[in-house]
């Protein structure tokens, strides 16, 4: 972290931090980054996403596991921005997902706000725990705590 640590990440910076690409890149922007503490990810949900072909035909609903994955990606970007990990070989692996609850359907046209915060973790540490809340227009869609291993391989 430097005095010039960004407080947001556009799609270019996101792709320089995490390796995910279409169709599994699930965050379009990360804003309000407080280094090593919290951030808000943005996912613009569109009908073009491949999971809507089968989940469910005629009633497109974003799978809950992809919402949790989007929260995890927003968390990884927050840590990556905070630790200046752009253009490094940075991978993140789920270790646990706890207390996941789904409260609202998410579908095409929704803008998913992914509010993530660090529960446990420190700069340079490998194991981090986060709390996430996914909202659409202020309505809670999903919440969970998740633990991840941050692996800087290069």
């Amino acid at each position: 972290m430097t005095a010039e640590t960004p407080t947001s990440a556009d799609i270019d910076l996101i792709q320089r931090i995490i390796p995910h690409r279409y169709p599994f890149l699930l965050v379009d922007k990360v804003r309000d980054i407080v280094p090593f503490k919290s951030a808000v990810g943005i996912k613009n949900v569109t009908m073009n996403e491949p999971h809507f072909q089968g989940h469910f035909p005629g009633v497109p609903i974003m799978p809950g596991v992809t919402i949790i994955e989007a929260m995890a990606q927003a968390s990884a970007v927050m840590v990556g921005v905070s630790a200046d990990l752009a253009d490094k070989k940075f991978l993140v692996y789920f270790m646990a997902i706890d207390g996941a609850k789904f409260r609202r359907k998410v579908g095409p046209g929704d803008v998913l706000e992914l509010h993530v915060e660090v529960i446990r973790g420190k700069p340079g540490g490998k194991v981090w725990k986060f709390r996430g809340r996914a909202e659409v227009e202020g309505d809670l869609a999903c919440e969970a705590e998740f633990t991840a291993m941050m692996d800087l391989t290069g």
Side-chain angles (χ1 to χ4, degrees):
M1 177 175 64
T2 68
E4 298 174 23
T5 300
T7 59
S8 65
D10 62 11
I11 195 67
D12 178 59
L13 182 54
I14 290 168
Q15 290 185 88
R16 291 175 54 211
I17 294 172
I18 60 175
H20 304 76
R21 297 296 182 265
Y22 179 84
F24 216 66
L25 180 57
L26 298 173
V27 63
D28 297 311
K29 174 174 36 174
V30 180
R31 62 175 170 78
D32 303 335
I33 298 171
V34 178
F36 299 112
K37 292 190 192 288
S38 64
V40 178
I42 302 295
K43 166 65 176 151
N44 295 302
V45 182
T46 71
M47 190 60 192
N48 298 340
E49 295 172 55
H51 49 255
F52 289 134
Q53 291 179 22
H55 198 265
F56 298 101
V59 185
I61 298 170
M62 185 173 183
V65 295
T66 58
I67 297 171
I68 295 173
E69 173 67 24
M71 290 190 294
Q73 288 180 20
S75 299
V77 170
M78 181 262 298
V79 171
V81 166
S82 302
D84 194 25
L85 297 179
D87 304 317
K88 307 264 185 349
K89 290 188 178 181
F90 178 54
L91 297 175
V92 182
Y93 305 98
F94 272 124
M95 296 176 68
I97 299 170
D98 299 303
K101 295 180 180 156
F102 304 95
R103 305 289 187 205
R104 175 196 195 284
K105 294 183 277 187
V106 176
D110 287 338
V111 176
L112 201 54
E113 284 195 2
L114 311 158
H115 298 263
V116 296
E117 63 181 293
V118 174
I119 296 173
R120 185 179 67 244
K122 62 182 180 183
K126 280 196 158 212
V127 178
W128 291 70
K129 186 167 186 175
F130 301 93
R131 177 176 298 115
R133 293 174 49 90
E135 299 177 357
V136 175
E137 297 181 359
D139 291 334
L140 180 63
C142 172
E143 61 187 330
E145 291 184 358
F146 45 96
T147 305
M149 180 185 299
M150 306 284 182
D151 186 17
L152 187 57
T153 62

